[in-house]
Amino acid sequence: MKEIHAYGAQASDANLEALNIKRRDILPNDVKIEIEYCGVCHSDIHQVRNDWGNSKYPVVPGHEIVGRVAEVGKDVKNFKVGELVAVGCMVDSCQECDSCKEDLEQYCENGMVATYNGNDKHLGGHTFGGYSEMVVVRDKFVLKVPENLDSAAVAPLLCAGITTWSPLKQWKVKKGDKVGVVGLGGLGHMGVKFAHALGAHVVMITTSPSKAEDAKRLGADEVLISKNEEEMKKHQGSFDFILNTVPVGHDTNPYIALLKRDATMTMVGAIDEVDLHGANLIMGRKRLAGSLIGGIKETQEMLDFCGKHDIVSDIEMINIQEINKAYERVVNSDVKYRFVIDMKSIKN
Amino acid sequence: MKEIHAYGAQASDANLEALNIKRRDILPNDVKIEIEYCGVCHSDIHQVRNDWGNSKYPVVPGHEIVGRVAEVGKDVKNFKVGELVAVGCMVDSCQECDSCKEDLEQYCENGMVATYNGNDKHLGGHTFGGYSEMVVVRDKFVLKVPENLDSAAVAPLLCAGITTWSPLKQWKVKKGDKVGVVGLGGLGHMGVKFAHALGAHVVMITTSPSKAEDAKRLGADEVLISKNEEEMKKHQGSFDFILNTVPVGHDTNPYIALLKRDATMTMVGAIDEVDLHGANLIMGRKRLAGSLIGGIKETQEMLDFCGKHDIVSDIEMINIQEINKAYERVVNSDVKYRFVIDMKSIKN
């Protein structure tokens, strides 16, 4: 049996049995994917450390998966062996509720099946993610990856990408809009790239002056240091939309003050208590919203957009053996901007 | 000089001089109104007690004004002497900014002029409200009152009415929608009446089982006791819109849990810190919004709707001499549902 890493497990074929992990036999609508790359999401760390209290062990994390089709079930028409494909945060949903019918499987009313630590419909127990050699996924949850993109750098699009893309599209960000992106991490750096590509005037809003240069390289037109009250005041009431990627509880009031009347700030990361003063919404008829990843159709649209506009994540590649060190660096915000595991290394 | 009431002043003609209050001479676009009735809004109490720290004395409160036109300026074409009219929370705005041009004078970017304790453009100093015999108002801020309605009971429509009408219209509440109204006070009782008249399935959400019967009389189809966790759970994820009239800081999370995916709760009263957990917005792509009174055009539309549907406020009439006692009862939520001052009593 191979090493089980301190915070989770790697499901190499060599240690599947030791981990008591089975892969299901290929069903008529299944696609078996040989994983080439898997991004490292902060939620991987929360899950393997059981920060949310709902982890099931062994945890095999990973929901930013890129690989090649290795085998398809007999009813699969849309994918061929050898095709470059991807899997994100979901591997199944009921397909029957209103949310599924509206292509919003992430809000499936019967519960979408998360790529890892979800409830496995077929084998019972829980699902296992992308820190693995292979994954078997229902065809409807497999995405096509444009071949012109650097496939390793595509991996983070499957979570960090779609999480920021979806609210920008939902709130119809368009050419000329003044869009703020709060926080420059894995999510924020994708938010800047997307908002820029959509033609918005992008303002990176950050506590760290040191991030200014990089934000501009990524596509920000301006950088607003949120600790600078004078600067914040100058931008008051001027934003058409703000994408807030802060991953922890925080004071939303200074950002809401930046919004125009009738404008919205969408939070995508703060699954925690936030500070909010009602008057700040009432006085300008403003809105605080949330958004969770994106639906499968929308994820494909994002990948196609990325293919067309040559957009990928900024990544740092690692071998699976470096994962624990990488986790420490993610926790310390010491990565530009996403670690991606070269999954060939799992055989080392 | 007449008595100046403990918490504010009554601007009877007999004591104007003692209060150092002048009325401006009628300008070409002014309408002078003989006030018949003035509603008592909770914000009157906040202002006269200087709860918000920005009161200017003497405070003459009152922004739910109904009366008859006594005189018009030479350029006024829209109003005639003797006509039944009303004035709400605003008496002027710049008329030039985007908000004014969009008929949203309440968000005037140069600052709307509040009916009392606002900055008087003409005489300097501050404006004086409806606890008075007369008021002079720019014609654009004067509303027409349908003659078929009980004019005393119309007064609260000018604040409590428009404050609840505006978000119901903004968020397009329509026949068959499941709409929650949180809190059964001056605002809430109007919210129930309006949502019912718009054809919604109205659920009164309250902490007080004692309010159930009255809520149904006002038009609620169901009453949901927010302290009953089991009942709250049954309604989870089922509301198309929630109008939250709670006037103080509170925990918004149990109400957000009631919303469907993509649905909105609008707060109209909580100008205070509220409790909010980010995950509750993120997990169902929900929205927490605010709304402040309504524009003049929208207020006229509301009054016309009320005329057509025979909607007025439930009121308890008082004389101005009873105002301090009435304030105490408002503070103790002991009024169904709005005090209205019979302004003839100011001459007593």
Side-chain angles (χ1 to χ4, degrees):
Chain A
M1 179 190 151
K2 294 260 178 156
E3 175 193 6
I4 295 178
H5 291 278
Y7 299 129
Q10 51 156 303
S12 69
D13 282 4
N15 67 8
L16 286 187
E17 200 173 337
L19 290 166
N20 198 22
I21 293 174
K22 283 176 198 156
R23 287 205 193 94
R24 69 175 180 257
D25 294 331
I26 303 287
L27 297 169
N29 287 101
D30 277 345
V31 177
K32 187 174 183 178
I33 300 162
E34 184 172 356
I35 301 173
E36 296 185 343
Y37 302 104
C38 186
V40 175
C41 175
H42 204 136
S43 61
D44 295 354
I45 304 171
H46 289 305
Q47 293 265 22
V48 295
R49 293 183 179 181
N50 197 22
D51 289 340
W52 299 330
N54 62 355
S55 297
K56 295 158 198 158
Y57 291 94
V59 175
V60 178
H63 56 206
E64 297 181 341
I65 299 169
V66 172
R68 298 253 169 210
V69 175
E71 194 180 340
V72 296
K74 70 181 178 57
D75 293 344
V76 173
K77 297 199 169 41
N78 214 10
F79 295 99
K80 283 182 199 147
V81 171
E83 202 173 345
L84 190 65
V85 293
V87 176
C89 301
M90 304 181 279
V91 288
D92 212 340
S93 74
C94 82
Q95 300 286 309
E96 286 173 2
C97 70
D98 287 347
S99 293
C100 286
K101 284 179 186 164
E102 292 174 40
D103 295 310
L104 294 164
E105 302 89 350
Q106 72 272 38
Y107 305 113
C108 173
E109 286 141 43
N110 297 303
M112 59 92 156
V113 179
T115 300
Y116 66 88
N117 247 314
N119 295 318
D120 191 314
K121 283 185 188 179
H122 300 281
L123 301 176
H126 62 280
T127 53
F128 301 101
Y131 294 12
S132 186
E133 289 181 36
M134 297 275 183
V135 66
V136 177
V137 178
R138 181 177 179 169
D139 56 355
K140 288 202 169 168
F141 288 77
V142 179
L143 289 306
K144 289 175 182 284
V145 176
E147 290 274 359
N148 62 309
L149 296 174
D150 170 0
S151 54
V154 164
L157 298 179
L158 280 299
C159 172
I162 187 61
T163 297
T164 50
W165 172 262
S166 183
L168 291 169
K169 294 302 283 184
Q170 188 201 353
W171 294 97
K172 300 190 179 11
V173 164
K174 61 185 188 306
K175 198 169 155 62
D177 282 354
K178 183 171 174 180
V179 171
V181 177
V182 184
L184 185 54
L187 272 66
H189 99 289
M190 287 311 308
V192 169
K193 289 186 183 203
F194 285 142
H196 174 74
L198 290 166
H201 178 88
V202 183
V203 182
M204 177 75 233
I205 305 169
T206 173
T207 53
S208 315
S210 66
K211 290 186 174 172
E213 200 179 325
D214 218 34
K216 290 192 174 173
R217 179 185 61 79
L218 294 164
D221 298 284
E222 288 183 70
V223 175
L224 173 54
I225 305 303
S226 54
K227 285 174 183 164
N228 184 330
E229 281 184 30
E230 206 177 313
E231 280 298 308
M232 288 290 276
K233 210 168 176 183
K234 273 187 205 164
H235 285 267
Q236 206 171 305
S238 69
F239 282 81
D240 294 288
F241 181 73
I242 295 177
L243 175 67
N244 180 330
T245 73
V246 179
V248 292
H250 63 284
D251 184 2
T252 66
N253 294 298
Y255 307 119
I256 290 170
L258 297 174
L259 293 171
K260 280 185 186 171
R261 166 174 58 78
D262 286 324
T264 301
M265 176 163 81
T266 296
M267 299 186 293
V268 293
I271 43 175
D272 218 333
E273 289 291 338
V274 296
D275 293 329
L276 173 67
H277 198 290
N280 293 331
L281 295 179
I282 291 171
M283 293 309 166
R285 205 163 71 167
K286 298 174 182 181
R287 305 154 190 177
L288 184 59
S291 181
L292 178 71
I293 50 175
I296 293 298
K297 186 178 167 213
E298 197 173 35
T299 307
Q300 188 62 62
E301 286 164 2
M302 173 206 65
L303 287 169
D304 296 344
F305 181 91
C306 287
K308 201 171 156 190
H309 292 82
D310 210 18
I311 294 173
V312 289
S313 175
D314 282 25
I315 65 163
E316 188 173 330
M317 190 99 84
I318 58 166
N319 286 333
I320 186 71
Q321 291 76 14
E322 301 169 278
I323 189 68
N324 291 344
K325 199 179 151 209
Y327 277 8
E328 289 303 330
R329 287 184 53 199
V330 169
V331 169
N332 295 322
S333 304
D334 175 26
V335 54
K336 283 182 181 173
Y337 281 91
R338 208 70 159 177
F339 285 113
V340 171
I341 309 164
D342 181 349
M343 210 46 74
K344 281 195 306 290
S345 63
I346 203 168
K347 293 176 185 166
N348 291 352
Chain B
M1 179 188 151
K2 294 260 179 155
E3 174 192 8
I4 295 179
H5 292 278
Y7 299 128
Q10 51 156 304
S12 70
D13 281 3
N15 67 7
L16 287 188
E17 201 173 335
L19 290 166
N20 198 23
I21 293 174
K22 283 176 199 156
R23 286 204 194 94
R24 68 174 180 258
D25 296 330
I26 303 287
L27 297 169
N29 286 102
D30 277 345
V31 176
K32 186 174 184 180
I33 301 162
E34 184 172 357
I35 301 173
E36 297 185 344
Y37 303 104
C38 186
V40 176
C41 175
H42 204 136
S43 61
D44 295 353
I45 304 172
H46 289 305
Q47 293 264 24
V48 296
R49 294 184 177 180
N50 199 20
D51 289 341
W52 299 331
N54 62 354
S55 297
K56 295 158 199 160
Y57 291 94
V59 175
V60 177
H63 56 209
E64 297 182 339
I65 299 169
V66 172
R68 298 250 169 215
V69 175
E71 195 180 339
V72 296
K74 70 179 178 57
D75 293 344
V76 173
K77 298 200 166 41
N78 214 10
F79 295 99
K80 284 182 199 148
V81 171
E83 202 174 344
L84 191 64
V85 294
V87 176
C89 301
M90 303 180 279
V91 288
D92 212 340
S93 74
C94 81
Q95 301 286 308
E96 286 174 2
C97 70
D98 287 347
S99 293
C100 287
K101 284 180 188 163
E102 292 174 39
D103 295 311
L104 294 164
E105 302 88 351
Q106 72 273 37
Y107 305 113
C108 173
E109 287 141 42
N110 297 304
M112 58 94 155
V113 179
T115 300
Y116 65 88
N117 247 314
N119 295 318
D120 192 314
K121 285 187 190 180
H122 301 280
L123 301 177
H126 61 279
T127 54
F128 301 102
Y131 294 12
S132 187
E133 288 180 39
M134 296 276 184
V135 66
V136 178
V137 178
R138 180 177 180 170
D139 56 353
K140 289 204 168 166
F141 288 78
V142 180
L143 290 308
K144 289 175 182 284
V145 176
E147 289 274 0
N148 63 309
L149 297 175
D150 170 0
S151 54
V154 163
L157 299 179
L158 278 300
C159 173
I162 186 61
T163 297
T164 51
W165 172 263
S166 183
L168 291 169
K169 294 302 284 184
Q170 189 200 354
W171 294 97
K172 300 188 176 17
V173 165
K174 60 184 190 306
K175 198 170 154 61
D177 282 354
K178 183 170 174 180
V179 171
V181 178
V182 184
L184 185 53
L187 272 65
H189 99 289
M190 288 312 308
V192 169
K193 288 186 184 202
F194 286 141
H196 174 74
L198 290 167
H201 178 88
V202 183
V203 182
M204 178 73 232
I205 305 169
T206 172
T207 53
S208 315
S210 66
K211 291 187 175 173
E213 201 179 325
D214 217 34
K216 288 191 173 173
R217 179 185 62 78
L218 294 165
D221 297 284
E222 288 183 71
V223 175
L224 173 55
I225 305 303
S226 53
K227 285 175 182 163
N228 184 330
E229 281 185 27
E230 205 176 316
E231 280 297 309
M232 288 290 275
K233 209 167 176 182
K234 273 187 203 164
H235 285 267
Q236 205 172 305
S238 69
F239 283 81
D240 294 288
F241 180 73
I242 294 177
L243 174 67
N244 181 331
T245 73
V246 179
V248 291
H250 62 285
D251 184 2
T252 67
N253 295 297
Y255 307 119
I256 291 171
L258 297 174
L259 294 171
K260 282 184 185 170
R261 165 175 56 77
D262 285 325
T264 301
M265 175 162 83
T266 295
M267 299 187 293
V268 293
I271 43 176
D272 218 334
E273 288 292 337
V274 297
D275 293 328
L276 173 67
H277 197 291
N280 293 331
L281 295 178
I282 291 171
M283 292 309 167
R285 205 163 70 167
K286 298 174 181 180
R287 304 155 191 177
L288 184 59
S291 181
L292 178 71
I293 50 175
I296 294 299
K297 187 179 168 212
E298 196 174 35
T299 307
Q300 189 60 61
E301 286 165 3
M302 173 207 65
L303 288 169
D304 296 344
F305 182 91
C306 288
K308 201 171 156 190
H309 291 82
D310 210 18
I311 294 173
V312 289
S313 175
D314 283 24
I315 65 163
E316 188 173 330
M317 190 99 83
I318 58 167
N319 287 332
I320 185 71
Q321 292 76 15
E322 301 168 279
I323 188 68
N324 291 344
K325 198 177 150 209
Y327 277 7
E328 289 302 331
R329 286 184 53 201
V330 170
V331 169
N332 295 322
S333 304
D334 176 26
V335 53
K336 283 181 178 172
Y337 282 92
R338 208 69 158 176
F339 285 114
V340 171
I341 308 164
D342 181 350
M343 211 46 74
K344 281 194 305 291
S345 63
I346 203 169
K347 294 176 185 165
N348 291 351

